[in-house]
Amino acid sequence: MTYSLIATVALIRDTFREAFARKIFWGLFGLSTVLILFFLFLLKIDLVEGAVATVSLFGRAANRTTDVDRWVRGAYAVIATFLYTWGMFLAVFASAGLIPSVLEPGRIELLLSKPVSRTHILLGRYLGNVLVISCNVIFLVLGVWTILGVKTGIWSRTFLISIATSIFIFAVLLSVVVLIGVLFDSAALATMVTVGLMIMSPILAQTGTMVRLLSSEWSRQIWRTLYWALPKVYDLGKMTMDAIQNEPFQGYTPIWTSALFGAVMLSAALVIFARRDF
């Protein structure tokens, strides 16, 4: 048990070391820092009697007569949307190369010569990738949350839900990156397939509309099957927005179906990796 823990820590440390060497970690950290500094120095909020009086951006002020709590929730929703879309694209792009790199000739033989199972090697790499992105997500969300809390006096804890949902959907998408990486040793292909799933998600989420528009039952069934089989990136993002804006909770279906998809993809990657010749 002790050796297994030591091996896991070593695999995670190796992933972080490579993320630092490839400037992946610092690139994501730098982008997060820029966004935090934007809110710290360029966004100025004046409050009068519980309302946002003016919002100043790049020295230009815009008058506001809105409730502070509503304005803050709107700002959090915009930030969470940015994090959940462009942030996730960047995270997938940055992490895609960290999986095939471990399969490079010479490196994989060295890893396999150690008394560590192939399953352990791949899971350690996967966990290391998740932790690299998690550090940046937590840094960005907590930084923005703290700055807006200090500026407005409102500490909306629901915004912190975006930490959990962002890390969760990244972990699901990373399972696809791992599977494609194990199958084809291609970071580019892994990125394209994963981004393709992200783009398809908001389209497939319009199931109710498409069921009415499609002319045949078999095409409707294909649409439903794709919707239920693939990860619910869009639905989870909407769930986050609803939580931030105090909208009713719509249920756990997007969570467990996406988790099941990720588990199947990761299990397939582990089976293929265990049987692959190097």
Side-chain angles (χ1 to χ4, degrees):
M1 181 65 180
T2 301
Y3 180 79
S4 177
L5 179 60
I6 293 174
T8 301
V9 171
L11 289 166
I12 293 172
R13 186 187 300 119
D14 181 65
T15 305
F16 269 85
R17 187 181 298 114
E18 185 172 348
F20 281 116
R22 291 172 177 247
K23 308 298 187 295
I24 292 172
F25 187 92
W26 292 119
L28 294 172
F29 180 82
L31 292 173
S32 299
T33 301
V34 168
L35 188 58
I36 290 173
L37 292 177
F38 165 82
F39 282 96
L40 182 61
F41 294 111
L42 299 180
L43 183 66
K44 295 183 180 180
I45 305 170
D46 293 325
L47 304 178
V48 177
E49 297 181 355
V52 176
T54 60
V55 176
S56 177
L57 182 61
F58 298 113
R60 301 181 64 179
N63 293 327
R64 298 273 179 173
T65 56
T66 184
D67 178 72
V68 178
D69 184 72
R70 186 174 60 184
W71 187 91
V72 171
R73 290 184 185 280
Y76 281 146
V78 171
I79 299 164
T81 300
F82 172 82
L83 175 64
Y84 203 78
T85 52
W86 294 109
M88 202 56 58
F89 276 114
L90 289 173
V92 169
F93 179 79
S95 300
L98 294 177
I99 297 300
S101 64
V102 80
L103 305 176
E104 294 173 352
R107 185 172 186 179
I108 186 61
E109 287 82 3
L110 177 62
L111 286 172
L112 293 177
S113 67
K114 306 295 183 182
V116 181
S117 69
R118 292 190 177 198
T119 297
H120 199 158
I121 292 173
L122 198 60
L123 285 178
R125 192 69 168 180
Y126 173 83
L127 180 58
N129 272 257
V130 172
L131 290 176
V132 167
I133 300 303
S134 297
C135 288
N136 281 278
V137 169
I138 293 170
F139 169 69
L140 174 59
V141 172
L142 287 181
V144 172
W145 181 69
T146 301
I147 291 169
L148 283 182
V150 171
K151 285 179 177 287
T152 65
I154 295 177
W155 300 85
S156 179
R157 289 189 293 271
T158 54
F159 178 57
L160 301 181
I161 293 174
S162 60
I163 294 177
T165 53
S166 296
I167 294 174
F168 171 74
I169 199 60
F170 172 74
V172 172
L173 294 172
L174 185 61
S175 68
V176 180
V177 173
V178 173
L179 178 59
I180 301 299
V182 169
L183 281 172
F184 302 105
D185 295 349
S186 173
L189 182 60
T191 303
M192 286 189 291
V193 172
T194 308
V195 170
L197 290 175
M198 295 175 65
I199 294 173
M200 287 175 62
S201 182
I203 301 172
L204 291 174
Q206 313 309 314
T207 304
T209 301
M210 293 308 300
V211 165
R212 292 192 298 271
L213 293 177
L214 293 173
S215 59
S216 60
E217 183 57 34
W218 66 267
S219 59
R220 297 189 193 102
Q221 193 57 45
I222 290 175
W223 192 281
R224 293 191 192 97
T225 301
L226 287 174
Y227 171 72
W228 287 107
L230 298 178
K232 312 297 186 296
V233 181
Y234 173 82
D235 299 75
L236 285 163
K238 187 176 184 303
M239 181 185 296
T240 305
M241 297 301 102
D242 289 344
I244 291 174
Q245 297 181 328
N246 281 338
E247 297 293 333
F249 180 61
Q250 300 298 323
Y252 293 97
T253 301
I255 299 175
W256 71 260
T257 53
S258 298
L260 180 60
F261 172 87
V264 171
M265 294 297 103
L266 189 57
S267 298
L270 292 172
V271 171
I272 294 170
F273 185 62
R275 297 178 178 178
R276 181 173 169 178
D277 294 328
F278 293 98

